[in-house]
Amino acid sequence: MKETVIKDKKFREMISSDVINARIREMAEMINRDYEGKDVLFLGILNGAFLFAAELFRQIKLRARISFVKLASYEGTNSSGSVKELIGWNEDISNMHVVVIEDIVDTGNTLELIYGQLKTRKVADIRIATLLFKPGAYNGTQAPDYVGFKIPNDFVVGYGLDYDGYGRNLPSVYTLVKE
Ligand code: IMP
């Protein structure tokens, strides 16, 4: 059993890099099939999705582009306080078929936000590809379209996901050991 310590916490390997990479190949094949003949824009959400996006995108055989955006928080002037906005757009995405690439869908709040902001940009359609999905924590309305692995509602790191900024470089996904 592979274990690792990040800062003050112990993590145990949950999904090996071989299994992850095989699953990403399958996801790419599904996307290649579903979008055959179409021009697709992949949109990676930074920071967490950068590794998954790279591995997925290099197996895409479509006429495709990729771009990355980041969710930034700022103090809004409305009553809800902090507002999150997607930043880093550098192209016109109207009428594009967009595949959003996420590292993990947890509560689904981030996903709702991304949907909302993409819809105002008049894209042709939007689908979500996520490496990990926590159905037990999810309270959104529209589930992700391409899911690598459904996982329990526990904290995980690795393959782009972090604990306090660390652990993104682990080639496998690790879950927190509860002590
Ligand atoms: P949401 O709850 O679906 O909005 O997820 C928001 C973000 O929280 C994700 O994009 C991740 O960056 C982060 N996140 C959620 N669960 C985990 C986890 O288990 N490990 C590391 N980051 C997580």
Side-chain angles (χ1 to χ4, degrees):
M1 196 67 77
K2 279 192 204 166
E3 289 193 338
T4 186
V5 173
I6 301 174
K7 295 183 81 177
D8 53 341
K9 301 215 186 304
K10 201 196 274 181
F11 292 84
R12 182 171 299 134
E13 189 180 60
M14 184 172 74
I15 314 170
S16 73
S17 57
D18 286 351
V19 171
I20 294 170
N21 289 326
R23 181 65 185 145
I24 296 175
R25 276 197 294 280
E26 289 176 356
M27 294 174 83
E29 279 166 22
M30 281 187 250
I31 294 170
N32 284 332
R33 232 179 294 129
D34 292 351
Y35 287 90
E36 202 181 338
K38 292 189 175 137
D39 198 320
V40 182
L41 175 67
F42 288 82
L43 208 55
I45 310 297
L46 294 172
N47 293 325
F50 76 108
L51 283 181
F52 172 46
E55 192 58 35
L56 184 75
F57 191 66
R58 67 175 162 195
Q59 298 178 62
I60 292 298
K61 309 270 194 311
L62 306 162
R63 190 179 138 83
R65 293 183 291 157
I66 189 163
S67 194
F68 288 88
V69 291
K70 191 171 177 132
L71 275 171
S73 297
Y74 61 93
E75 291 307 309
T77 50
N78 64 359
S79 53
S80 69
S82 169
V83 178
K84 277 187 166 177
E85 189 191 14
L86 285 170
I87 58 164
W89 303 95
N90 50 15
E91 48 213 307
D92 178 15
I93 60 168
S94 52
N95 300 316
M96 290 296 302
H97 300 286
V98 177
V99 177
V100 173
I101 307 180
E102 264 284 29
D103 52 352
I104 187 163
V105 175
D106 186 9
T107 63
N109 294 344
T110 307
L111 207 61
E112 297 285 315
L113 215 124
I114 293 166
Y115 266 126
Q117 297 195 18
L118 282 177
K119 278 183 184 147
T120 65
R121 287 166 191 263
K122 304 197 170 14
V123 297
D125 52 65
I126 309 162
R127 284 191 189 165
I128 311 287
T130 185
L131 181 63
L132 304 172
F133 179 38
K134 293 181 184 171
Y138 187 66
N139 59 28
T141 48
Q142 204 168 339
D145 303 275
Y146 303 100
V147 173
F149 302 92
K150 288 183 183 166
I151 61 166
N153 197 4
D154 298 321
F155 189 77
V156 293
V157 294
Y159 215 96
L161 289 119
D162 73 304
Y163 165 48
D164 234 359
Y166 293 93
R168 294 193 197 275
N169 51 328
L170 292 166
S172 308
V173 168
Y174 285 71
T175 188
L176 181 66
V177 176
K178 293 169 196 150
E179 286 170 307

